[in-house]
Amino acid sequence: MLKVIYEDKDKLIVDKKAGQLSQSGKSLDVDLVSEVLAYRKKKKEEVYAAIINRLDRPVAGLVLFAKNKEAAARYSREVQDKGSISKIYEAYVYGKVDCKKETLVDYLIHDKVNNTSSICDMTQSMQDNEDFKEARLEYELLSYDEESKVSRIRIKLMTGRHHQIRVQFASRGHAILGDYKYLEIANQFLRDKNKKSISMEEFDLLTKKYRLRRNTIALAAVELEVDGQKFTRSK
């Protein structure tokens, strides 16, 4: 069932379930866009829904839809204008993050064949003519569980790159719980620093402890600021 957080004549903000596709893909599962279109059709409204901030399938949280073409064009411009639409996430990651507050800046390359992203050396990428993009975020440590070795962090996304949060933290040894796709990147960092890597068995136990289901990770879009209004995900 579609969970609507806010609605007016131009926009619709909904809470996506972790594990649900934002847009239709190869899966037979009902995607979020289809749910929104069905919702608008049931209300006898124009059957139009442009997704503005698409979330990865394993990620839960707030998603903005434009209800008409004019609003879609405006919100798309605002997404490009950094800061106009503010996106806040919360995540649980393995290990204690280095700082209480920090800004992370990296350059990412998107591997479309394998649906992954990786951090690249900008100088080498320029020489190889690779298509890299700047990825920038700010984070704050909210709490640290000494027993589980898990940090709870709050993240402000400054750019919206493919798998950005997942890659930037994994590349520093902090895999997001449940994110097996980038676990090896985190472990490679830990090994390079002569630190203990996390075993698959240990990661499985943490995934179960935090009640993560299949195709879900411990990352959620918890706050969205649009048109000067802040919208918060209910817990």
Side-chain angles (χ1 to χ4, degrees):
M1 182 178 178
L2 189 68
K3 188 174 182 180
V4 177
I5 303 298
Y6 177 83
E7 184 176 7
D8 62 26
K9 66 181 181 63
D10 289 327
K11 63 181 175 289
L12 181 70
I13 297 173
V14 302
D15 190 350
K16 185 182 91 67
K17 301 183 292 291
Q20 182 181 32
L21 287 167
S22 289
Q23 293 175 287
S24 60
K26 296 178 182 178
S27 172
L28 297 177
D29 297 335
V30 177
D31 62 277
L32 188 63
V33 171
S34 297
E35 272 200 296
V36 171
L37 291 172
Y39 168 81
R40 297 205 66 194
K41 183 177 181 180
K42 187 176 181 180
K43 292 181 67 180
K44 301 189 185 306
E45 296 179 346
E46 179 188 5
V47 185
Y48 179 91
I51 191 166
I52 305 301
N53 64 312
R54 188 184 68 82
L55 297 180
D56 297 337
R57 181 174 188 170
V59 180
L62 302 183
V63 179
L64 171 65
F65 283 89
K67 296 175 69 175
N68 53 68
K69 291 181 180 179
E70 293 76 16
R74 176 164 63 86
Y75 290 134
S76 294
R77 286 194 301 269
E78 289 181 5
V79 167
Q80 299 304 315
D81 178 19
K82 298 174 184 177
S84 294
I85 295 180
S86 177
K87 294 167 282 185
I88 304 294
Y89 292 74
E90 284 191 11
Y92 290 87
V93 302
Y94 178 74
K96 189 171 185 178
V97 293
D98 293 334
C99 304
K100 176 68 177 175
K101 290 184 178 182
E102 189 178 12
T103 299
L104 304 183
V105 182
D106 296 294
Y107 295 89
L108 303 187
I109 292 179
H110 180 195
D111 180 347
K112 295 181 181 178
V113 175
N114 295 305
N115 190 35
T116 59
S117 287
S118 58
I119 290 176
C120 65
D121 179 271
M122 189 175 66
T123 304
Q124 185 62 46
S125 295
M126 290 177 70
Q127 292 173 355
D128 296 340
N129 293 318
E130 291 185 287
D131 184 19
F132 59 87
K133 293 183 178 179
E134 183 187 77
R136 181 183 295 266
L137 62 79
E138 298 173 352
Y139 78 80
E140 176 184 4
L141 175 63
L142 298 178
S143 62
Y144 178 65
D145 184 334
E146 200 78 47
E147 182 182 355
S148 299
K149 300 178 183 177
V150 171
S151 295
R152 178 175 167 239
I153 53 176
R154 187 172 176 87
I155 303 153
K156 182 175 183 179
L157 204 57
M158 314 301 287
T159 55
R161 308 305 182 200
H162 179 261
H163 293 180
Q164 178 181 336
I165 296 173
R166 300 164 68 180
V167 178
Q168 287 195 273
F169 281 97
S171 69
R172 291 164 171 84
H174 304 297
I176 294 174
L177 300 191
D179 197 358
Y180 292 89
K181 184 184 284 281
Y182 291 105
L183 177 59
E184 178 53 30
I185 289 179
N187 275 336
Q188 186 59 57
F189 174 89
L190 294 171
R191 287 192 292 267
D192 290 346
K193 297 292 184 180
N194 294 316
K195 295 181 179 180
K196 183 180 178 294
S197 60
I198 179 170
S199 68
M200 190 66 75
E201 292 77 12
E202 189 178 357
F203 205 60
D204 286 342
L205 287 173
L206 285 173
T207 297
K208 290 175 183 176
K209 180 177 180 178
Y210 284 82
R211 300 178 181 178
L212 296 169
R213 295 175 288 105
R214 183 173 174 270
N215 290 327
T216 69
I217 62 176
L219 175 64
V222 297
E223 188 179 294
L224 197 59
E225 184 172 348
V226 188
D227 296 333
Q229 290 180 278
K230 282 187 179 180
F231 303 95
T232 306
R233 185 175 188 241
S234 58
K235 296 184 178 180

